[in-house]
Amino acid sequence: MHVNNFISRKLNLSLPYWAIICPLLAISTLTIADDFKDYSWFTALLGFILISAVLAAVHHAEVVAHKVGEPFGTIILALAITVIEVSLIVSLMMSEPTDGPSVLARDTVFAATMIILTGIIGICLLAGGVRYREQNFIKQGVSTALITLVAISILTLILPNYLTTEPGGRFSSSQLIFVAIISLILYGGFISVQTIRHRNYFLPQTSETVSEIHVEKPNSLTSIFSLILLLIALAAVVLLSKKLSPTIEDMVIQLGAPKSLVGIIIATVILLPEGLAAYKAAKQDRLQTSLNLALGSALASIGLTIPAVAIVCYFADLKVSLGIDAKSSILLVLSLFTVYLSLNSGRSNIQQGIVLLTLFLTYLFTTIVP
């Protein structure tokens, strides 16, 4: 507490001390991770530090979002996490053996999309339905995000299976570049609509709650520090996930589960900051903010990852397979269709959350028991 008071008084920062210490501790731990990687107690410590970094990231994202307002706050969090996620995918792709096409980008993007569509949105709708029975949101904004997500996900993850130039769900070089450009156009168009032309579609329908009205916006110095610490925390989450992935992979193999489950676990950890922020917003009756976070994150995950992968593959002469199998295609289309029906009325209820979470459990179960 004394540390927090000192920082607040000397630097005029309105930040709790744990939110400052946790990201810095997480990054510092990475410097000694290789020296203690064989100790089980240190692995458990890394897991604890990872969770603390996630909680710190959520706090700093809320500070930045409160400063810049909606929908820019949710965009900042979505873009920050996606850029770091892309960096992780690209670095892992570059270190993979080159004897066959890489499926890492496909598995990561598909896992992130399913987690967001059925897991995060499902939990938000369920939590909001339990507490408020019904929650309202602006239909036009959600519809704009969903039609963009339907187009971009099917073009990148399902279409490759039906093209004949390359086998095995692969795009040719020209096709991959074309799809990358299309992805950027779709995502750029959505950002333009969200921030400029129809910004009101993505703003909460009601005015700020009583508790938020009396909360003064953070000063510029606090906001800048929070943005820096947010990026540090997100980087720590991704890098710690990478450090822990061999341990997680060994556990999955010992359980006899498919290795694709490792990607789901890592994607879940990376999406925890967005998931927690969306859940907190739904619990505070701000479902519009929750949906902005979830759908915006799904769009950023595909719209930025695919172009980045395309550039790397083109210049590094790598092969990548983006087409998902028939089972995954059915689950993806069913999830998109269910989310569209659930969010088509401008009101949510508990049953919509239950259905989506059921699809999420089905996705997890069929991954473990294919």
Side-chain angles (χ1 to χ4, degrees):
M1 187 62 67
H2 293 296
V3 176
N4 191 36
N5 292 336
F6 174 81
I7 294 175
S8 299
R9 184 173 64 253
K10 295 296 183 181
L11 300 180
N12 196 26
L13 295 180
S14 302
L15 294 173
Y17 69 91
W18 66 267
I20 299 174
I21 294 174
C22 288
L24 300 177
L25 177 63
I27 285 293
S28 301
T29 305
L30 290 168
T31 60
I32 61 172
D34 292 334
D35 298 331
F36 297 92
K37 62 181 180 180
D38 296 328
Y39 296 92
S40 57
W41 63 267
F42 187 75
T43 301
L45 179 62
L46 284 182
F48 176 79
I49 294 175
L50 174 62
I51 294 173
S52 69
V54 168
L55 296 176
V58 173
H59 179 83
H60 292 301
E62 290 177 341
V63 172
V64 175
H66 189 47
K67 178 66 175 180
V68 301
E70 290 295 335
F72 298 102
T74 56
I75 292 175
I76 288 174
L77 180 58
L79 289 179
I81 290 179
T82 304
V83 168
I84 297 175
E85 180 185 352
V86 167
S87 302
L88 176 61
I89 293 173
V90 170
S91 64
L92 291 176
M93 281 183 61
M94 297 295 291
S95 62
E96 278 186 330
T98 57
D99 53 349
S102 173
V103 297
L104 179 64
R106 178 197 69 188
D107 292 344
T108 304
V109 169
F110 177 63
T113 303
M114 291 298 295
I115 290 169
I116 292 169
L117 283 177
T118 59
I120 294 177
I121 294 181
I123 290 174
C124 291
L125 295 183
L126 180 64
V130 168
R131 187 164 187 176
Y132 301 102
R133 291 185 177 269
E134 283 189 350
Q135 289 181 295
N136 298 325
F137 54 89
I138 299 178
K139 178 181 174 182
Q140 292 92 328
V142 172
S143 177
T144 301
L146 280 176
I147 61 170
T148 309
L149 183 59
V150 169
I152 200 171
S153 58
I154 291 179
L155 285 175
T156 55
L157 297 176
I158 296 180
L159 180 62
N161 294 321
Y162 299 94
L163 299 178
T164 57
T165 304
E166 295 286 344
R170 288 168 47 197
F171 284 121
S172 65
S173 297
S174 59
Q175 290 169 344
L176 187 59
I177 295 299
F178 176 79
V179 169
I181 295 173
I182 291 298
S183 298
L184 288 175
I185 291 174
L186 288 172
Y187 183 70
F190 171 75
I191 291 296
S192 174
V193 169
Q194 187 180 28
T195 59
I196 301 174
R197 297 191 64 88
H198 298 287
R199 184 186 173 190
N200 57 306
Y201 288 173
F202 302 88
L203 298 176
Q205 285 184 292
T206 57
S207 60
E208 295 177 333
T209 62
V210 175
S211 61
E212 291 174 326
I213 291 175
H214 294 90
V215 176
E216 185 179 353
K217 286 191 174 183
N219 57 49
S220 298
L221 184 61
T222 299
S223 302
I224 293 172
F225 264 79
S226 277
L227 180 59
I228 295 172
L229 290 170
L230 170 63
L231 296 177
I232 293 174
L234 292 174
V237 168
V238 174
L239 294 175
L240 285 173
S241 300
K242 187 176 179 180
K243 292 289 184 182
L244 290 171
S245 60
T247 303
I248 298 173
E249 184 174 351
D250 291 339
M251 293 173 57
V252 169
I253 293 175
Q254 290 176 4
L255 293 173
K259 291 182 68 174
S260 56
L261 183 61
V262 178
I264 295 177
I265 296 173
I266 295 176
T268 302
V269 174
I270 293 174
L271 290 172
L272 267 179
E274 290 167 305
L276 288 176
Y279 174 77
K280 289 181 67 175
K283 292 283 285 185
Q284 296 169 358
D285 201 17
R286 295 187 291 121
L287 185 60
Q288 184 69 55
T289 300
S290 292
L291 295 176
N292 288 348
L293 271 169
L295 296 175
S297 298
L299 283 169
S301 179
I302 303 179
L304 296 179
T305 300
I306 300 302
V309 169
I311 292 173
V312 171
C313 290
Y314 182 81
F315 287 102
D317 195 25
L318 297 176
K319 302 296 183 182
V320 61
S321 177
L322 292 177
I324 56 179
D325 59 24
K327 176 202 70 177
S328 299
S329 299
I330 292 174
L331 286 174
L332 177 61
V333 173
L334 177 60
S335 300
L336 289 168
F337 182 65
T338 305
V339 170
Y340 179 78
L341 291 180
S342 300
L343 304 179
N344 194 39
S345 64
R347 288 186 173 186
S348 68
N349 59 62
I350 189 174
Q351 179 62 17
Q352 296 161 346
I354 292 173
V355 172
L356 288 176
L357 287 175
T358 301
L359 292 179
F360 180 62
L361 293 176
T362 302
Y363 163 63
L364 293 179
F365 180 77
T366 53
T367 299
I368 298 172
V369 188

